[in-house]
Amino acid sequence: MFWLSLLPDHPSCVTPLSEYVGKIGDVVVLRCEVDASPSQVEFRWTVDGEEVSEHADKELVSEVTVELQQLSDFKEYHCQAKNKLGTGVEPCVIQLFEIATALPASPVDCDYIALPTSINITCKEGQAAGSQQHYVVLSRAGREMARSLHPDFYIVAEPQKLYHLDVLAVSGLGNSSRVSLSILTPSIEAPKPLMSQAALIGVVIAAIIIVFIIIIVIVFLSQKKKKVNKANYSLREGERKNEPPLLARGAEEGNATPSDRNANNSLYTGGETRGNSITEHKAPLAPLAPPGKYCLSLTSFR
């Protein structure tokens, strides 16, 4: 609102950043305008940290006249106002640029890296000649391959192909001279095998040897186990043959007559034989024999 502008306040810039252009031989008037309440202000101009003594002030506006005699006159100026409340927080910035009068200079020191599917080109910027410019890469046929504000380019390419390229700067006044490059992209290498054929044969032979050794070990252990089992069987058979009979039978059972078998049965059972039958009689148990000896106490009953 209107009454707000009448409140006391420090000076502030109407345009915090201003740009002016000119060329050598011109006279340029730089303008600085502020808002302040109270409006009685004092202006102070500086350039490169040094105060500019000559400037024309009128109320809230101050002007500095600059004669452009050389390139060093194109600089950045600062303007600051002060009233009884104090000095403005930030100065007003006025930049003075040169109007381009010549074509831009070519990029320099161009280098590149060629890959099977891309090309990277890097150059250094040439003299801008006071104009805004950008950089492009053109084919010899005039086709634009890449564009950038800085001479750094990435170009999609094809493997094993020769490219003839021109790098140049472009401004509103025209183009710079061209920097020509001839670049051959390499072919795509076939993927290398994980191991050579000789190494693969060595691995197969080693695997066969290991399997053969495992088979030999298994056969050896199997034969050894069979020998141990056979030795244990022979030992048990020998022990059985050396054991004394539990009963004295008087004759081999194969040569004994029926009467001998009956007698033996009678002795064993402690009974008597009548015809083909055996009558059993209970007899008192005899004391146990000492270890390793066998005996049988027989008692006859009539």
Side-chain angles (χ1 to χ4, degrees), residues 250-289:
E252 290 293 333
E253 190 170 342
N255 299 326
T257 61
S259 59
D260 293 334
R261 293 189 186 98
N262 291 336
N264 284 336
N265 290 335
S266 176
L267 289 174
Y268 175 73
T269 58
E272 57 181 309
T273 304
R274 295 180 182 178
N276 291 328
S277 63
I278 300 175
T279 303
E280 294 185 357
H281 300 281
K282 292 183 179 180
L285 297 175
L288 295 174

Side-chain angles (χ1 to χ4, degrees), residues 10-296:
H10 295 78
S12 61
C13 299
V14 174
T15 306
L17 176 62
S18 302
E19 294 181 355
Y20 291 81
V21 294
K23 61 181 183 293
I24 301 298
D26 288 349
V27 177
V28 180
V29 178
L30 307 181
R31 178 185 175 90
C32 174
E33 183 176 0
V34 298
D35 282 333
S37 180
S39 60
Q40 291 77 24
V41 296
E42 296 179 2
F43 286 94
R44 180 174 182 268
W45 286 77
T46 59
V47 58
D48 293 335
E50 297 182 0
E51 186 171 355
V52 178
S53 58
E54 296 182 4
H55 50 85
D57 303 338
K58 185 178 181 181
E59 296 182 352
L60 297 176
V61 176
S62 179
E63 295 179 343
V64 169
T65 301
V66 180
E67 295 182 4
L68 300 176
Q69 299 177 355
Q70 53 190 356
L71 289 177
S72 59
D73 293 330
F74 297 92
K75 296 181 179 182
E76 181 177 280
Y77 291 78
H78 290 181
C79 167
Q80 208 162 19
K82 176 182 178 182
N83 62 8
K84 67 178 183 180
L85 294 179
T87 304
V89 178
E90 296 292 338
C92 307
V93 178
I94 298 93
Q95 294 178 337
L96 181 55
F97 296 103
E98 180 188 12
I99 296 176
T101 58
L103 296 176
S106 302
V108 296
D109 298 336
C110 292
D111 196 6
Y112 64 87
I113 298 175
L115 301 176
T117 58
S118 65
I119 300 173
N120 293 282
I121 300 176
T122 302
C123 305
K124 293 181 180 179
E125 295 184 2
Q127 176 64 39
S131 62
Q132 186 176 5
Q133 62 190 36
H134 60 275
Y135 298 85
V136 297
V137 178
L138 303 177
S139 67
R140 293 291 168 84
R143 176 190 172 193
E144 185 175 305
M145 306 292 291
R147 176 186 293 261
S148 176
L149 291 177
H150 303 282
D152 299 318
F153 309 97
Y154 174 84
I155 301 171
V156 178
E158 298 178 9
Q160 206 167 6
K161 184 176 180 180
L162 180 62
Y163 287 85
H164 299 286
L165 304 175
D166 294 330
V167 185
L168 62 152
V170 179
S171 71
L173 296 177
N175 302 339
S176 71
S177 58
R178 302 187 177 194
V179 177
S180 298
L181 301 173
S182 295
I183 303 171
L184 176 63
T185 56
S187 60
I188 298 177
E189 297 182 359
K192 296 181 180 179
L194 296 178
M195 61 177 63
S196 63
Q197 185 176 1
L200 182 61
I201 294 174
V203 171
V204 173
I205 294 175
I208 293 174
I209 293 174
I210 292 173
V211 172
F212 182 72
I213 293 173
I214 292 174
I215 293 174
I216 292 176
V217 172
I218 292 174
V219 172
F220 173 76
L221 294 177
S222 177
Q223 294 294 333
K224 184 175 180 181
K225 184 176 181 180
K226 288 181 180 180
K227 290 180 180 180
V228 172
N229 292 339
K230 187 175 181 181
N232 292 337
Y233 178 78
S234 299
L235 181 60
R236 288 195 298 269
E237 289 296 321
E239 291 177 351
R240 290 175 184 173
K241 290 180 180 180
N242 293 330
E243 289 179 356
L246 294 177
L247 298 174
R249 297 183 181 274
E252 290 293 333
E253 190 170 342
N255 299 326
T257 61
S259 59
D260 293 334
R261 293 189 186 98
N262 291 336
N264 284 336
N265 290 335
S266 176
L267 289 174
Y268 175 73
T269 58
E272 57 181 309
T273 304
R274 295 180 182 178
N276 291 328
S277 63
I278 300 175
T279 303
E280 294 185 357
H281 300 281
K282 292 183 179 180
L285 297 175
L288 295 174
K293 297 181 180 182
Y294 303 88
C295 65
L296 183 63

